[in-house]
Amino acid sequence: MSLSLRTAKSGRINRKKPLSFRFDGQLYRAFEGDTLASGLLANGVHLMGRSFKYHRPRGLISAGSEEPNALVGVDRGNGRYTPNLRATQVELHDGLIAESQNSWPSLAYDVGEINNLLSPLFVAGFYYKTFMQPKQAWKNVYEPVIRRAAGLGKAATAADPDHYASRFAHCDVLVIGAGPAGLAAALAAAESGARVILCDEQNELGGSLLAELHATIDGVPAQTWLEQTLAALVAKSDTVTLLPRTQCFGYFAQNFLGLAERVTDHLAQPDPRLPRERLWQVRAKEVVIATGAHERPLVFPDNDRPGIMLADAARIFANRYGVRAGGRAVIATAHDSAYQAAIDLKAAGVTIAMIADLRKEANGPLPMAARAAGIHVETGTAITGSKGRLRVKAALVGKIGTDGEESVPCDLILMCGGWTPSVHLFSQSRGKLVFDEAKQVFVPGHSAQQERSVGACKGSETLIEALNEGFAAGRDAAEKAGFAKGKARKAKVSGVIEAHGGFLGAVPHGHDVNRVKAFVDFQNDVTAKDIKLATREGMHSIEHVKRYTTTGMATDQGKTSNMNALAIAAEALGKAIPAVGLTTFRQPYTPITFGTMAGHSRGDLFDPVRRTPMHGWAKAQGAKFEDVGLWKRAHYFPKAGEDLHAAVARECRIVRETAGLFDASTLGKIEVVGPDAAEFMNRLYTNPWSKLEVGRCRYGLMLNEAGFVMDDGVVGRISANRFHVTTTTGGAARVLNHMEDYLQTEFPELKVALTSTTEQWAVIAVQGPQARAIIATLVEGIDLANEAMPHMSVREGKICGVPTRLFRMSFTGELGFEVNVPADYGQAIWEAIWAEGEKHGAVAYGTEAMHVLRAEKGYIIVGQETDGTVTPHDLGLDWAIGKAKPDFVGKRSLTRVDLVKPDRQQLVGLLTVDSQIVLEEGAQVTLAANPPPGTSALGHVTSAYHSATLGHSIALAMVASGRARIGEVLHVPMPNGAIAVRVCEPIFYDKDGSRLNV
Amino acid sequence: MRFSVFNLARQALSAHRNWPEQWRSPEPKNAYDAIIIGAGGHGLGTAYYLAKEHGMRNIAVLEKGWLGGGNTGRNTTIIRSNYLWEESQGLYEHAVKLWENLSQELNYNVMYSARGVMMLAHTIHDIQVFKRHVHANRLQGIDNEWLTPEQAKEFCPILNIAPNMRYPILGAALQRRGGVARHDAVAWGYARAASAMGVDIIQNCEVTGIRRDANGAVSGVETTRGLIGTKKIGVVAAGHTSVVMGMADVRMPLESYPLQALVSEPIKPIMPCVVMSNTIHAYMSQSDKGELVIGAGTDAYTSYSQTGGLHITTHTLDAICELFPNVRRLRMLRNWGGIVDVTPDRSPIIGKTPVKGLYVNCGWGTGGFKATPGSANVFAHTIAKDEPHPINAAFTLDRFRTGRLIDEAAAAAVAH
Amino acid sequence: MLLIPCPHCGPRPEIEFRYAGEAHVARAADPGAVNDQDWAEYLYFRSNPKGIHFERWRHVSGCARFFNCVRDTVSDKILTTYPAGEKKPDLGTLMKEAGR
C-alpha cells in the first residue's frame, strides 16, 4: 500500500482504522472515513469509468453527488448488487467490493473505445438520420446492437433481499443542507422552540466546513464551531431531528417534501433488522433551502481525461480526506476560489505548476495570496487542451487572442469555471428564478411556497453571508411557524477571503471548434460542437437542445453541465442567456432507489388482504382462493385428486340434490335507515320500494346517471324505516359512495342515514332442497315454513343463540337461506350449520360453483354480463323498473337516442350444437361461420360453463337484437374453426321457478 | 438534405457544418388556408397530411411553447391497437400500420420498435376481459394472443410469476406488433417533413382568441404574435383543449388531469418488451438508452400544473417492484408530469364542432401517442373535406348526446 | 400530495380524500323535462378551467362528507373549502384574501 498520496495529517479520516476494499478485483487499502473515490485516489487510481457514448476513459471530476463520471457497481452479494453509484458517495467499509461499468474486457482496454474513433459519425442526433434501411433492420439489427452498447451498469439478477422503510413526518422548519447556512438556520429555528428537521446528503453534517482549514467562526476554528453547533442541536433532540445521509429529492405542493435516507449501505455488517434506506415524507410549515452551489467545469478540448477535476474537489480530497489527487497540478480557472485550492494543495505537498486564469486580471485577495505563496499565475490565459490517455500527462495553455500554445507537464488539471447555485429544490417548489447579470447565475426570485433560500444556493459567495442569512432565515421561519421571534444573531468570521469570478460557455482556443471534443456533459459525451450543431439544425429552444444532444439528461441531471450548455446555446443563437431560458428542474434531485419509494409496500403488504370470518375454516378444508378486489374468496373446495372441473361439478350436483354452504360475507351491505329511507331507495334504485312489505325482499337494480347498470343485489325491508341493502363484492365501496353523493348533495332534504355493514355481518348461504331442514334445528323464534316465510323474505331471530337476520333468497335457483350473523360469530355459526349439513350430505361450495348455478338460472353478474354499457332493457330486466316512479338515478338517460335503438345487444342464452363443447368467455358471436377479417361481431359470450346438472354446456351472451334471434343458429369463430350455437332464452334450469317455492 | 448514412458520412468530412435547419422558423403570415393549434405529434402530423395528401400547403401550426413540448415529449411511447371496440380497433390499427412505415415516409428515424406489448391478468375477471379483447381483435385481423404465466415469463424473463404474489399473474394478452417509438423524433420528423412542404411552424405563438364572422364561422385567430386570418382551425391542444375551445364558446366533455411518468438510470438491457398491469397500476419498458420507462394512472384531480403527487409515484414503483423484484435497487432518475385531457368514455373526439370551420382532435387521455399518425391522418381528412374519414366517423362530439359512447374504460378497466 | 382543509375536520393529506369532480353542477329537479343536449351537458360537459376551479371532494377516510373546494388548477393552491350546499363564494373576495 502506497501512502505517498496521503497528506501528512489533515482530514477527517480515521488513520487508526485502516480497511481494505476491492475495485475491479484489485485489493486496495484505505481508512475509515474514506469514500471509494478518495480511497482510489489515495492509491493513485484515477481511471474509474468509461463514458456512455464514446467509452472514453474517465476519472472523477467532483467530490460529491454531482459526479458524472465515476459510476461504479457495488456488490454485497445475494441480489444486493447496485449499479451506477457515484464513487464520491460510496462510503468505504472493510471488505467493500466495487467494479467499474460500461467497459469490456476491462476498464483500461475497452473495445467500446472504437466509438471514440467513429465519433465524427456519432454526433448529436445521428441516430435520427440513419438506421432506416431496410425497414426491418431497425428492430432486428440496429436496435439490438445499440441497446447492448447503451446502458450504464447492470441490474441485479435476483430479487433484492433488503427491506426499506418509510415514514411520514411533520415539522415546523425543515432545513435542507447542513453546511454553514443550514446549520445556522437550524440553530436559530431550534432556539425559538420550533420542531426542526435538518437533513444533508453527506455522511457528515457540515457541508463546506468539513474541508475548511482556515476560517474561524465566533473566535473558534470553523470545524470547532461545527462541533459546538452540532452539540447544541443534539442537545435539543426532543425538537431537533438530524438526518445525515439524507437527500431531500423533491419539493411538492403545499410544502410537502420527499427525503431519502441511506441507512445501512455504509456499514460492513448491518443489523439485518435495519432497513437499507428510508423514505421520509415531510410536511413542513416552513422550509429553509441551504443546498449550496456546484463548481462548474471549464469546457476546453479534451477536458475529460482522468486526472482532470474540479479545483474545489481536489481541495476537498486534500483537506477532508487527506489525499493528494496528484503530484503536479495545472490549475485553470476563472474564479478566485481555485486559488484557495492551489494554496491548500500546495500546503498539502502538491506542486502547482501554474494557474492559468481566463480573466484579464486577477487581483483579488486570494490571487494575491497565491502569488505571495510563490504560485505561478498567468492571467488572460486559457487552457486549450490536454494530453494523456488513461491519465492526463500535460495541459495545453495559451494566451487568449494568440495561437500560441504551451504544453505544461502535469498529472493533475484542476478547473474552475465558477459556481452555480443549486436552485433545483427552489425551482421544484415552483418559485421563479431570476438571472443575476452581475454574477451570471440564476438565483431564487419570487417564492411560491413557504420557503427561503440561504447561502450559496441563493448566490451568496462568502461564509459570513451564509451564516448570517442562515441565522436570519431560521429565526424568520420559526416565527412564521408560530414561534416567538428569537433574538437576532450575527456571526463573526475571520480567516476566509472573498472569492469572485466565473465563466460560462466554451473556453476560447485556436483549434478547429468543429473537430475537437470539448465536453459539456461528461457522462453523455455531449460536446460544445454538438450543442452548436443542434442550434444550426433549428433546435432553438433549450429544451430542444437538451433533447437533441441529451445534454443534462445523464444520471447527474446536468448539475455541472447545464449552465455551460445554456451559455453555448445562447451564444450560438445570438441571444442572452435568460432569453434562452433553463430547462425544467425535475425531481428527484439525485436518483432515488425504487425500493425506497416502495417502502413497506411489498409482498402481503403490497395491498391489504380482506378475509371473511370463515376464511380459516375454508383454508383448513383445502379451499383454493381467488382474488376479488381486496378479498380472498374460496373459489372451490377440491377433494383429493380433484381438479377445478371435477370439484365444481360435484359441488353443483350436491347443491341441487341436497344442499350446499357458501360464504357470501364479501357481498357489500349497507344499512339504509330513516323516515325517508323508502323514498331514497326509490331514487337510487330502478325498482319501486314504497310498497315493499316489512319482512319482504326484492332484487334491486342500480344504474349510474348515464343509464347503465352499475350494481345489483337483494334488499330486505327490516322495518318501515330500515332497509338491509346488499351490493356486489367489488361494488360495495362504489355503491356507498354513489349513495352518499346523492344523499349529501342532491337529496339533502331526505332524512336518511347510510352505514356500511359489510364487515359487521358474516353471511352463510345455505342453498338446496335440504336447506330448511339443515337450519331448522338451529334457528329460534322464526317460523321457517314456506307459507310463513316465503321466497324473498327476511326475518329477525336467533340462530344458536346468536342474533340473526335470516333471508330466504336464492342465487342458485334452489330453496335457499342466507344467514346473517354478527361477524365475530361467523365461523362458529358456520361450523354449527356445517355440522347439521353434514348429516344431510351437504357440501361447501365456492365462487366457481356459485357462478355455474346462477348461470343455469340465467342470473346475471354485474361486471360479467355487463360492462358499463348495458341497460336494464338489454338484460331483459324491464320488470325491475318502477314504471310509475317520476324519477330515479339513470332514468332520464334511458330515453337517449342510442339507448332505445332496436339493434342493441341483448342478453340471451347460447347452446352449443355439439353439447359438450364449452365456449370461451369473451369469444365473439357472428352470423357467418367463417367471417372474413373486419366482420362486425353480433356480440360476445359473457359466461360459459359445463353444467353437470344438465349434462351439457351452457352460455350467456350479449347479442345484437338477441331476443329476436331466439332459435337461430349463430357462430362463435375460434382459431381452429367456428363453433355453431343456437340462441335460446337465458335460462336453462327450472324455468318456472318451482324449486324456489317449496 | 436527405437523412441517410451516406449524407451522415459526407457531412462528417466537413465536421457537420452544413446540415440545414430541420424546420424553418418563419414569421406568421397575415392569413392561412388552415391553422392547426398545437405543435405536438398530432398537430404536426395533421399539417403534414394536409400538405401531402390534400395539397393544402398554405397552412400554419401555432405552438405556444416549443414544438413537441407537451404530451408528445412526456409520454411513455407505448404503441398498440388491441382495443375492444371496433371503432377503436379501426383507429388504432390505422395508426399502427402508419407507424410501420413512418421512418421511411418521413425520412426520420422514429425508432418504431415492435417489441411486443404484454398486458397482465391478475384475476379471473382480468382473464375474461383480456380474452374478450383477444377474440374481438382476431375477428378484426388484429394480432393479440393469450399467454400462460410461463409463456409470459419466457417473453419477459424478469417477470415475477410466483403463485404467492399478492396478485399472482394468471396469464397475459400479448400484441407482438405493439411496441414503442422515439417520441421526440415523431414531432421532429413531422415538423421537418411538413416544413419542407411549405407548412409554417410558428413556435412561441400562443393563441389568445378565436375570431368568428357574422355567420358564426371562424375567421381567424388572435395570437401573442398578432392576428392571423383563416377559415379553418384544427384544435389539437391536448390538455389545453377546453381552454382553446372556450375561446369559441364551445364547451367540451373533458377534464384535464396530471399524468406522471418516470425513468430509471440507464442499465444494460433487461426488459425486452412492454409490460402493462392495469390491475396493480403500472407499466414498464426499457428505452434504447437503457432507462426503464415507467408509468401508471393519472393523479386524482384536474390540474394544469404538470406536476403530481409523490404518492402516485411511490404506488407505481411498489407495483413495479412486485412485478420485477430484481429492479428494487435501481433508481429513479427523472419523474415528470403532463396534462392529459380525458373524456367520459376514455375515447378521443375527432371531428367537426358546432362552429363552422372549427375542428377538434382531443380527449386522448393517457394513450394518445400510439395513435399519432392515424389520428393526424384522419383529422387532416376531416379538415380538408369538411367531413370525417370513415375511421373517425364514430368519434364525434355528438355521441355524448346520443349515448353512443365508445367506452373502453368501462368495458375493460384498461388504462391506455 | 395536496394538503386539503376539510371544512369539518381541518387540514388533512390528500390520500384521505376522494376527488369528486366539478362542483355546482346541479341535477335538474325534473330530469324528464330536460332535452338530450342539456342532459348531455349535465352528464359530461365540464368547464375544466385553467385557473380557479370549483370542485368537490369527499373526506372519505375522515368525516365521509362531500364538500366544495376552490383551487387554482395552475398552482394547485387551495383558496377555500366550504360545506356542500353552501353558495358559491365570491371569487373577487377570495382572490383579495389570497393576496392577488
Side-chain angles (χ1 to χ4, degrees), chain A residues 221-369:
Chain A
Q223 296 200 20
T224 307
W225 182 87
L226 170 61
E227 275 167 40
Q228 291 170 351
T229 303
L230 290 175
L233 291 169
V234 167
K236 290 182 177 292
S237 62
D238 49 342
T239 55
V240 177
T241 305
L242 300 179
L243 295 176
R245 298 187 180 90
T246 303
Q247 178 69 62
C248 178
F249 64 84
Y251 201 137
F252 303 88
Q254 288 142 356
N255 263 17
F256 190 74
L257 297 98
L259 280 52
E261 180 186 7
R262 306 185 301 277
V263 181
T264 61
D265 267 5
H266 63 289
L267 302 172
Q269 301 286 338
D271 183 334
R273 289 168 300 181
L274 284 175
R276 176 173 174 240
E277 297 182 0
R278 179 182 287 122
L279 175 68
W280 291 73
Q281 297 181 72
V282 179
R283 182 82 65 180
K285 283 187 186 156
E286 297 289 328
V287 172
V288 179
I289 302 174
T291 46
H294 291 126
E295 193 177 15
R296 280 193 304 278
L298 289 172
V299 180
F300 62 89
D302 296 321
N303 59 343
D304 66 326
R305 300 191 198 284
I308 303 180
M309 66 171 71
L310 293 164
D312 208 57
R315 192 181 68 91
I316 289 169
F317 284 119
N319 291 0
R320 179 171 170 189
Y321 297 102
V323 179
R324 285 190 293 268
R328 181 179 163 85
V330 169
I331 298 178
T333 187
H335 193 278
D336 296 343
S337 66
Y339 291 81
Q340 186 70 62
I343 293 165
D344 287 5
L345 285 172
K346 184 165 191 289
V350 179
T351 304
I352 308 298
M354 71 178 295
I355 296 177
D357 197 320
L358 281 163
R359 297 172 293 182
K360 278 202 189 89
E361 292 180 351
N363 297 320
L366 271 170
M368 299 313 287

Side-chain angles (χ1 to χ4, degrees), chain A residues 615 617-628 632-645 647-648 650-651 662 844-849, chain B residues 124 163:
Chain A
H615 183 92
W617 185 90
K619 197 169 177 197
Q621 298 287 314
K624 303 287 181 195
F625 292 88
E626 66 160 327
D627 288 297
V628 182
K632 296 281 181 191
R633 297 195 76 182
H635 190 205
Y636 59 104
F637 290 82
K639 297 222 184 273
E642 279 186 340
D643 63 4
L644 169 73
H645 297 288
V648 168
R650 173 180 51 78
E651 291 170 18
F662 175 73
Y845 66 100
T847 51
E848 187 66 19
Chain B
I124 292 170

Side-chain angles (χ1 to χ4, degrees), chain A residues 611-694:
Chain A
R611 296 184 184 88
T612 71
M614 293 81 95
H615 183 92
W617 185 90
K619 197 169 177 197
Q621 298 287 314
K624 303 287 181 195
F625 292 88
E626 66 160 327
D627 288 297
V628 182
L630 297 176
W631 290 102
K632 296 281 181 191
R633 297 195 76 182
H635 190 205
Y636 59 104
F637 290 82
K639 297 222 184 273
E642 279 186 340
D643 63 4
L644 169 73
H645 297 288
V648 168
R650 173 180 51 78
E651 291 170 18
C652 289
R653 185 174 48 78
I654 294 176
V655 170
R656 296 241 182 267
E657 284 173 9
T658 312
L661 267 66
F662 175 73
D663 180 357
S665 304
T666 64
L667 290 184
K669 281 142 308 218
I670 299 167
E671 196 87 342
V672 178
V673 186
D676 295 321
E679 176 57 22
F680 180 72
M681 291 296 293
N682 279 337
R683 296 191 196 181
L684 268 291
Y685 281 82
T686 62
N687 322 65
W689 298 97
S690 303
K691 291 183 181 159
L692 182 68
E693 290 169 31
V694 171

Side-chain angles (χ1 to χ4, degrees), chain A residues 120 132 143 587 592 936 973, chain B residues 16 86 113 138 288 332 335:
Chain A
M132 285 178 276
E143 191 182 39
Q587 65 106 353
I592 302 300
S936 287
Chain B
H16 300 279
E86 284 167 18
S113 172
R138 199 182 63 246
D288 288 340
M332 175 172 84
N335 178 198

Side-chain angles (χ1 to χ4, degrees), chain B residues 29-304:
Chain B
K29 297 183 203 164
N30 290 333
Y32 291 96
D33 295 339
I35 282 176
I36 306 300
I37 301 176
H42 293 245
L44 291 165
T46 302
Y48 168 79
Y49 292 113
L50 276 171
K52 175 160 178 280
E53 297 190 352
H54 305 283
M56 292 181 68
R57 302 200 167 185
N58 181 33
I59 61 176
V61 185
L62 308 185
E63 169 55 50
K64 76 183 167 77
W66 38 283
L67 69 88
N71 295 339
T72 298
R74 294 165 187 269
N75 77 95
T76 49
T77 78
I78 295 170
I79 295 167
R80 62 184 182 88
S81 62
N82 53 351
Y83 279 69
L84 180 61
W85 303 109
E86 284 167 18
E87 297 88 342
S88 312
Q89 290 165 3
L91 180 59
Y92 292 103
E93 182 62 16
H94 183 52
V96 167
K97 292 216 167 89
L98 290 169
W99 275 116
E100 285 168 347
N101 293 302
L102 198 59
S103 292
Q104 291 73 30
E105 160 133 20
L106 298 178
N107 180 230
Y108 209 108
N109 189 355
V110 301
M111 304 181 196
Y112 169 64
S113 172
R115 322 179 61 69
V117 174
M118 195 161 74
M119 303 169 83
L120 302 176
H122 299 269
T123 65
I124 292 170
H125 184 254
D126 285 351
I127 295 175
Q128 291 165 339
V129 168
F130 286 147
K131 285 196 171 174
R132 184 178 171 195
H133 281 69
V134 168
H135 289 293
N137 292 154
R138 199 182 63 246
L139 196 60
Q140 298 303 316
I142 293 169
D143 76 302
N144 193 6
E145 63 196 273
W146 182 253
L147 303 184
T148 63
E150 293 71 27
Q151 290 170 323
K153 187 169 177 68
E154 202 182 324
F155 197 69
C156 182
I158 63 170
L159 188 64
N160 180 16
I161 58 166
N164 61 350
M165 283 176 77
R166 175 66 185 84
Y167 294 109
I169 291 165
L170 305 181
L174 169 66
Q175 185 175 30
R176 292 185 191 271
R177 286 161 66 239
V180 293
R182 172 83 194 131
H183 52 13
D184 289 331
V186 178
W188 299 343
Y190 274 124
R192 174 167 164 266
S195 180
M197 287 187 288
V199 175
D200 282 357
I201 301 163
I202 302 163
Q203 303 180 71
N204 300 308
C205 178
E206 183 171 0
V207 172
T208 54
I210 292 177
R211 290 269 180 102
R212 296 163 68 177
D213 65 20
N215 300 321
V218 302
S219 62
V221 293
E222 295 161 18
T223 78
T224 50
R225 294 173 72 170
L227 178 68
I228 309 174
T230 189
K231 296 230 177 315
K232 290 190 173 193
I233 299 173
V235 177
V236 203
H240 285 81
T241 301
S242 295
V243 177
V244 176
M245 294 298 284
M247 296 172 191
D249 298 322
V250 178
R251 272 170 68 84
M252 297 297 291
L254 292 173
E255 290 183 296
S256 296
Y257 288 93
L259 178 67
Q260 301 186 56
L262 65 98
V263 293
S264 74
E265 296 178 302
I267 46 162
K268 293 296 177 191
I270 59 168
M271 187 75 192
C273 58
V274 182
V275 172
M276 309 178 72
S277 169
N278 299 299
T279 299
I280 65 172
H281 307 297
Y283 49 87
M284 182 164 98
S285 64
Q286 187 170 13
S287 72
D288 288 340
K289 192 179 175 188
E291 297 161 332
L292 296 175
V293 182
I294 293 168
T298 64
D299 276 66
Y301 50 85
T302 61
S303 177
Y304 289 81

Side-chain angles (χ1 to χ4, degrees), chain A residues 52 79-85 102 120-121 123 126-133 135 138-139 143 147-153 155-160 162 164 252 276 279 281 430 512 514-515 524 533 536-541 543-544 547-548 553-555 557 586-588 591-595 597-598 601-603 606-609 626-627 629-630 632 635 863-864 867-868 896-898 920-924 926 931 933-937 940 973-975, chain B residues 3-5 8-9 12-17 19-23 25 66-67 73-74 85-86 100-101 103-104 107-109 111-115 122-125 128 131-132 135-136 138-141 166-168 182-185 188 203 262 264-271 280 286-292 294 305 307-310 313-314 317-322 325-337 400-405 407 410-411:
Chain A
F52 188 82
R80 292 185 175 90
Y81 182 88
T82 315
N84 299 343
L85 293 170
N102 205 30
L121 283 175
V123 290
F126 75 98
Y127 29 75
Y128 299 122
K129 294 174 177 160
T130 180
F131 305 134
M132 285 178 276
Q133 302 296 340
K135 202 175 95 180
W138 171 253
K139 188 192 161 207
E143 191 182 39
R147 290 172 79 89
R148 273 197 296 275
L152 291 166
T157 49
D160 180 5
D162 283 337
Y164 299 82
F252 303 88
R276 176 173 174 240
L279 175 68
Q281 297 181 72
R430 303 194 208 172
D512 181 347
N514 291 307
R515 304 232 180 240
N524 274 354
L533 172 64
R536 257 199 315 275
E537 290 198 76
M539 305 291 174
H540 293 178
S541 156
E543 291 281 359
H544 283 154
R547 285 159 180 263
Y548 195 63
M553 298 185 81
T555 64
Q557 295 263 49
R586 303 191 191 287
Q587 65 106 353
I592 302 300
T593 310
F594 287 2
M597 297 292 267
S601 178
R602 68 193 291 183
F606 173 70
D607 233 3
V609 177
E626 66 160 327
D627 288 297
L630 297 176
K632 296 281 181 191
H635 190 205
Q864 187 161 343
D867 59 9
R896 292 189 290 162
V897 181
D898 198 68
E920 195 162 293
E921 289 166 355
Q924 304 292 294
T926 57
T935 302
S936 287
H940 75 286
M974 297 296 287
Chain B
F3 286 171
S4 67
V5 69
L8 193 63
L13 297 177
S14 55
H16 300 279
R17 265 172 298 212
W19 287 109
E21 282 190 333
Q22 297 195 10
W23 49 81
S25 297
W66 38 283
L67 69 88
R74 294 165 187 269
W85 303 109
E86 284 167 18
E100 285 168 347
N101 293 302
S103 292
Q104 291 73 30
N107 180 230
Y108 209 108
N109 189 355
M111 304 181 196
Y112 169 64
S113 172
R115 322 179 61 69
H122 299 269
T123 65
I124 292 170
H125 184 254
Q128 291 165 339
K131 285 196 171 174
R132 184 178 171 195
H135 289 293
R138 199 182 63 246
L139 196 60
Q140 298 303 316
R166 175 66 185 84
Y167 294 109
R182 172 83 194 131
H183 52 13
D184 289 331
W188 299 343
Q203 303 180 71
L262 65 98
S264 74
E265 296 178 302
I267 46 162
K268 293 296 177 191
I270 59 168
M271 187 75 192
I280 65 172
Q286 187 170 13
S287 72
D288 288 340
K289 192 179 175 188
E291 297 161 332
L292 296 175
I294 293 168
S305 66
T307 64
L310 177 59
T313 309
T314 58
L317 285 173
D318 63 30
I320 289 292
C321 291
E322 285 302 286
N326 69 315
V327 306
R328 206 173 276 275
R329 291 176 97 87
L330 299 181
R331 298 189 295 178
M332 175 172 84
L333 171 59
R334 236 183 354 262
N335 178 198
W336 65 92
F400 298 98
R401 181 185 61 84
T402 64
R404 183 78 184 90
L405 305 189
D407 201 333

